[in-house]
Amino acid sequence: AIEGLLELKESWVIFNTTADEQMRVFNGGKILLSTSSSVLETDYLDVDDGSIEMAGSTLSVEDITLNKASVLTDGSARILVSRGMEIGPAGSTITLGTDSRVIVNGTLLNLGDLTIGGKGTVVTTILALLGTVGITESTSLVITGDSNTWNNPQTSIDIDPKANLTIQPGGDVFSSIPIRNDGTLRVEGSFKPLGEMTGDGVLQVDTQGTLGPFGIQSNGTFTASPRVDMNALSTFKVQIDPTAGQAQKLIASTSFSLSTLLGVYLEPDISNDRVLTPGTQFVIVEYPQGNVVGGHFIRPDNSPLKDGGTFTAGLNTYRINYNSTNITLTVVDTSAGHAIDDYYKALQDQTL
């Protein structure tokens, strides 16, 4: 138990603890790893109303709990957590130096208000939220694992203008919580949002990243105030329910951009399929302000879906149109003698 100061200078110290024991810092106590060669290893570390300061040093733990705690690092400090990090109900602050990293090879469970600041990076496999997370200054929060579900309405994420949240390849996040994004939310894995994202930042879906579907209901809607950029060979997924006559929709309040280089994969997920009446129309993207950067969707075989192009999904053939304020899918009659549908199909190989 540390109620005062524990300082390590150019030392490598190992505290062996069992599941019933823990190294505890409390009542204003502090761990100070004051040199780059300082290393502290322990199994269970509990910091309650205490602090950790590190100068390019290394802290290696199996489990760590931070409650009303302050973590301050400088240089290339490393906090390596092999199983889990818990942020207690009283919240905590982690401020990271330029090259500092916190790596959680397990679950970061936030029960309070967590503020991540500075210029470093926090990496976690799973982010479990029962409280709020603020990503401030120039820091990065990186999600690497699948099965991330953020659905507690009492929780939220705030991304400051120079900060970013990244869902890495292999990362899979479903979110129905309020997210304010004034910085960058970068999707390299899979992001399945529902509800609303506010802010003046960017929702950027990178190559091999996937946006959607939007919840599990066919009428799910995601509204994004930040700019939405779909980069080359990213994927847009949307659920369509012909029986219910419904389709999911993205509303890009500010602007919507489809890569003009190689296109963006369109993957409609058809459920409860049936043959629809020609002319039945679904809006899959809205950009009310009319701010859209031209580009087009492509099919899984890389064939282009330019304005008027058609494709078959399930029991129906759809025509795609890129309009002034939305993107629509309209059911077409594929029987013989429908010249207008043949005309639209011929437009598929023309530029927008």
Side-chain angles (χ1 to χ4, degrees):
I2 302 169
E3 228 175 332
L5 172 66
L6 172 64
E7 182 177 2
L8 300 184
K9 293 182 178 180
E10 300 181 0
S11 305
W12 189 314
V13 177
I14 300 174
F15 289 93
N16 292 316
T17 56
T18 68
D20 297 325
E21 301 172 331
Q22 61 185 207
M23 184 178 183
R24 188 173 182 227
V25 183
F26 65 106
N27 286 346
K30 177 189 290 188
I31 293 176
L32 175 59
L33 308 180
S34 57
T35 63
S36 60
S37 57
S38 299
V39 178
L40 174 61
E41 291 187 17
T42 188
D43 296 319
Y44 303 94
L45 177 59
D46 179 15
V47 184
D48 191 347
D49 191 19
S51 62
I52 301 172
E53 291 189 17
M54 305 171 61
S57 41
T58 300
L59 172 63
S60 179
V61 299
E62 185 171 324
D63 289 281
I64 183 170
T65 299
L66 302 175
N67 189 51
K68 199 178 177 182
S70 170
V71 177
L72 176 63
T73 74
D74 193 11
S76 57
R78 294 289 184 269
I79 299 177
L80 309 175
V81 184
S82 62
R83 189 161 65 180
M85 173 182 285
E86 179 178 313
I87 308 300
S92 289
T93 300
I94 299 174
T95 306
L96 302 172
T98 302
D99 296 318
S100 295
R101 294 174 74 85
V102 176
I103 302 174
V104 182
N105 289 316
T107 298
L108 196 169
L109 171 61
N110 180 34
L111 301 174
D113 293 334
L114 170 62
T115 300
I116 304 169
K119 298 180 179 180
T121 302
V122 175
V123 181
T124 183
T125 306
I126 302 293
L127 177 63
L129 292 178
L130 293 173
T132 64
V133 174
I135 310 169
T136 67
E137 299 180 75
S138 301
T139 52
S140 299
L141 175 60
V142 178
I143 312 296
T144 64
D146 59 9
S147 302
N148 282 272
T149 300
W150 305 337
N151 58 5
N152 188 319
Q154 303 303 315
T155 68
S156 64
I157 293 178
D158 293 323
I159 307 171
D160 274 9
K162 294 182 180 180
N164 69 80
L165 169 62
T166 299
I167 303 169
Q168 282 196 336
D172 182 24
V173 173
F174 167 77
S175 173
S176 61
I177 67 172
I179 297 177
R180 179 168 183 84
N181 176 16
D182 288 316
T184 301
L185 196 159
R186 179 173 288 109
V187 181
E188 300 170 353
S190 175
F191 184 44
K192 305 166 184 173
L194 184 66
E196 184 175 11
M197 177 186 294
T198 60
D200 299 320
V202 180
L203 171 56
Q204 177 178 310
V205 187
D206 287 342
T207 299
Q208 298 184 343
T210 299
L211 178 62
F214 308 119
I216 60 175
Q217 304 296 325
S218 58
N219 62 349
T221 299
F222 173 57
T223 302
S225 294
R227 191 178 82 228
V228 179
D229 291 347
M230 304 288 300
N231 287 346
L233 303 182
S234 60
T235 298
F236 182 81
K237 285 188 176 182
V238 63
Q239 186 181 131
I240 300 174
D241 185 336
T243 297
Q246 296 176 336
Q248 295 180 342
K249 180 169 58 179
L250 165 68
I251 301 176
S253 300
T254 301
S255 68
F256 180 71
S257 171
L258 285 171
S259 169
T260 59
L261 181 61
L262 296 172
V264 172
Y265 290 111
L266 175 63
E267 292 190 10
D269 179 12
I270 308 296
S271 63
N272 301 316
D273 205 4
R274 71 177 180 90
V275 176
L276 291 170
T277 302
T280 302
Q281 188 175 90
F282 302 105
V283 177
I284 59 171
V285 181
E286 282 187 9
Y287 27 92
Q289 296 190 32
N291 295 329
V292 59
V293 177
H296 58 268
F297 286 116
I298 58 177
R299 297 296 290 145
D301 63 358
N302 293 320
S303 59
L305 282 173
K306 297 183 181 180
D307 190 44
T310 62
F311 66 95
T312 298
L315 299 175
N316 295 282
T317 297
Y318 300 89
R319 181 182 70 242
I320 190 166
N321 289 108
Y322 304 86
N323 307 303
S324 60
T325 58
N326 59 35
I327 298 173
T328 58
L329 301 180
T330 304
V331 177
V332 298
D333 191 338
T334 57
S335 60
H338 291 271
I340 186 66
D341 291 335
D342 293 336
Y343 167 74
Y344 275 119
K345 190 172 182 179
L347 288 178
Q348 181 170 353
D349 295 326
Q350 298 182 20
T351 57
L352 289 174

